[in-house]
Amino acid sequence: MSRKIITISRQYGSGGRFIGEMLAKKLNINFYDKELIDVVAEKTGINKEYLEAKEEKFTSDNLFFSAFHKDHFSSPFSSKATYSTLDKMFEIQSEVIKNIASKEECVIIGRCASFVLKDLYNCFNIFVHAPDKSRIERITSQYGVKLDQAETVLKNTDKYRANYYKYYTGEDWGNMTNYNLTLDSGYFTDEDICQIIIEAIGHKKK
């Protein structure tokens, strides 16, 4: 694989973001996560804090997604789809991702990047997951989530990510056929996973 463009989708609490950042440093390539929000905010004129509030912040309020969906848009895959500011945000974000991938080697976290870049030959798509126990340990020790709320936070955040992915791609989030490699961060350390990914991307079929 001559050019490295890596996308990482992940269950909440699996450490996918930390792994992506570590991987980018090891490969000496650029890393994109929240940095994409700055670009979208600049292009849309929408307040950055507003965008951040809508970006994968679904935690204890299990009504958030359904209300968000109802109030703002219909699915692009619906025959009666409407077009909203939020759809425009996704469109701009997708164009930003494509532009980045066309110019540089990088690691991109979430944001349906595996779907957005699905026709790009050099793109290597990863899904990071872990057992609930392992994820709960991580979010309570590293993310500041209270133990009595952890299980609910996991369930709701994963549900939001799955619905978001389904809404914008028409496909199932976490479906292993959409990824080149899936990894269990409850079994491997973050360091192990980085080494596995580095080795895997060097063995792509010609």
Side-chain angles (χ1 to χ4, degrees), residues 1-7 23 26-27 29 105-107 122-126 180-181 193-206:
M1 186 175 183
S2 59
R3 207 158 156 269
K4 301 176 184 68
I5 301 165
I6 301 163
T7 75
L23 180 65
K26 287 180 178 294
L27 294 172
I29 61 179
E105 296 188 316
C106 58
V107 175
N122 284 327
C123 194
F124 192 82
N125 302 313
I126 297 162
N180 303 108
L181 186 66
I193 289 177
C194 286
Q195 293 305 320
I196 291 169
I197 294 170
I198 290 170
E199 183 174 351
I201 61 180
H203 289 281
K204 184 172 182 178
K205 287 183 179 180
K206 302 299 182 183

Side-chain angles (χ1 to χ4, degrees), residues 137-205:
E137 288 175 358
R138 189 186 289 261
I139 67 173
T140 54
S141 65
Q142 297 181 20
Y143 299 5
V145 177
K146 294 180 180 179
L147 183 59
D148 61 350
Q149 298 176 350
E151 189 173 350
T152 299
V153 169
L154 286 185
K155 181 193 224 178
N156 288 344
T157 306
D158 281 350
K159 182 179 179 181
Y160 173 71
R161 290 183 180 179
N163 285 336
Y164 181 89
Y165 191 85
K166 184 73 171 182
Y167 173 77
Y168 278 114
T169 72
E171 298 182 2
D172 294 327
W173 177 76
N175 179 351
M176 64 181 180
T177 62
N178 292 327
Y179 307 96
N180 303 108
L181 186 66
T182 62
L183 290 157
D184 182 353
S185 63
Y187 185 87
F188 300 104
T189 67
D190 293 355
E191 179 73 29
D192 288 338
I193 289 177
C194 286
Q195 293 305 320
I196 291 169
I197 294 170
I198 290 170
E199 183 174 351
I201 61 180
H203 289 281
K204 184 172 182 178
K205 287 183 179 180

